[in-house]
């Protein structure tokens, strides 16, 4: 019986550690401490995309939010440095999103990480501002701007951008000079998920210790009765 109880408690801990919604494709994995490499620290939510197995920083203009860049508009090289300089949840390796090299400019092509976010996750419509989609998952990206964002893909002296909607350009790619200023999102390969809160783990641990102690006392009492 004791083994069964211990097994059930361990199963509860496992569920707390690894459970997540079975259907959702965008998952809010909670708040993580960040350091943007420029003496700005705080907390930000991380959003996991199950479809592409990537984790987004849960803010649409994080460079401005942290104070790294006033307004959040950066040149391409600065945007690349900004993303790679982030440490969130103790992890580096952040980057700008990707798209397909040589992609047709201005076309409604659902290729690349931002196009997937716009079309499939946030319910964007081609040529429309993302803010008009009404998708509830928009709340996962406060500060998302109806404008163009850099990708991390170069093409000659230029770099690709993807627009979340400005002047009827929602869902469109463009090739711009690296010396032009645009916004930036940061993404990380794989899932970055939170561990259970320390208080939850502590309570479960106390429960396990209590059960083990109760079992020891029961056995001692049983032996004492047997000897009497």
């Amino acid at each position: 019986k004791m083994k069964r109880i211990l097994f059930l408690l361990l199963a509860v801990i496992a569920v707390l550690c690894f459970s997540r919604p079975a259907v959702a494709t965008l998952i809010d994995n909670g708040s993580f401490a960040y350091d943007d490499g420029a003496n700005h620290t705080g907390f930000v939510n991380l959003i996991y995309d199950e479809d592409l197995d990537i984790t987004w920083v849960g803010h649409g203009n994080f460079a401005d939010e942290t104070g790294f860049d006033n307004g959040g508009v950066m040149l391409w090289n600065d945007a690349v440095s900004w993303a790679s300089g982030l440490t969130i949840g103790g992890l580096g390796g952040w980057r700008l999103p990707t798209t397909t090299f040589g992609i047709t400019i201005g076309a409604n092509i659902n290729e690349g990480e931002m196009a997937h976010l716009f079309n499939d996750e946030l319910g964007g419509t081609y040529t429309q501002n993302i803010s008009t989609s009404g998708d509830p998952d928009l709340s996962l990206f406060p500060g998302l701007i109806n404008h163009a964002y850099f990708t991390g893909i170069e093409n000659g002296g230029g770099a690709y951008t993807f627009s979340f909607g400005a002047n009827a350009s929602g869902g469109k790619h463009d090739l711009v000079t690296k010396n032009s200023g645009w916004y930036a999102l940061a993404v990380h390969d794989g899932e970055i998920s939170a561990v259970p809160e320390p208080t939850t783990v502590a309570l479960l641990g106390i429960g396990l210790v209590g059960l083990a102690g109760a079992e020891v006392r029961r056995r001692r009492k049983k032996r004492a009765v047997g000897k009497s």
Side-chain angles (χ1 to χ4, degrees):
K1 184 178 179 180
M2 183 62 186
K3 289 182 179 179
R4 186 179 302 172
I5 293 173
L6 290 174
F7 175 79
L8 289 173
L9 282 171
L10 289 173
V12 170
I13 293 174
V15 168
L16 286 171
C17 289
F18 304 111
S19 65
R20 65 189 184 206
V23 178
T25 55
L26 281 183
I27 300 171
D28 186 347
N29 274 338
S31 181
F32 292 76
Y34 73 79
D35 184 331
D36 70 353
N39 299 317
H40 303 115
T41 59
F43 292 86
V44 66
N45 281 27
L46 296 181
I47 312 302
Y48 178 58
D49 184 333
E50 286 186 310
D51 293 338
L52 301 185
D53 189 27
I54 56 176
T55 296
W56 294 94
V57 173
H59 199 285
N61 194 6
F62 193 51
D64 176 63
E65 174 72 10
T66 66
F68 181 93
D69 183 274
N70 187 24
V73 175
M74 297 176 281
L75 307 184
W76 187 78
N77 287 329
D78 294 333
V80 170
S81 296
W82 164 74
S84 63
L86 291 171
T87 301
I88 306 177
L91 296 177
W94 296 88
R95 58 175 175 78
L96 298 183
T98 64
T99 193
T100 302
F101 180 82
I103 195 166
T104 303
I105 301 304
N108 183 22
I109 299 176
N110 191 15
E111 294 181 6
E113 291 165 342
M114 280 194 288
H116 175 79
L117 182 65
F118 178 88
N119 290 294
D120 300 326
E121 304 295 358
L122 301 182
T125 301
Y126 185 52
T127 74
Q128 300 298 312
N129 291 342
I130 190 61
S131 60
T132 66
S133 79
D135 193 293
D137 282 342
L138 281 172
S139 64
L140 299 176
F141 295 89
L144 190 63
I145 296 172
N146 295 319
H147 222 294
Y149 285 76
F150 274 123
T151 73
I153 307 301
E154 304 175 76
N155 190 336
Y160 291 105
T161 61
F162 180 85
S163 179
F164 284 85
N167 301 321
S169 64
K172 294 182 180 180
H173 287 86
D174 200 359
L175 180 61
V176 301
T177 172
K178 294 178 182 178
N179 291 324
S180 57
W182 303 100
Y183 296 95
L185 295 171
V187 70
H188 197 286
D189 295 323
E191 181 176 14
I192 302 173
S193 57
V195 297
E197 295 181 5
T199 52
T200 301
V201 176
L203 288 171
L204 287 170
I206 291 170
L208 288 172
V209 171
L211 283 172
E215 178 65 10
V216 170
R217 290 191 297 272
R218 186 187 68 81
R219 291 181 179 180
R220 285 177 177 174
K221 185 177 180 180
K222 186 176 181 180
R223 286 198 297 269
V225 172
K227 292 179 179 179
S228 60

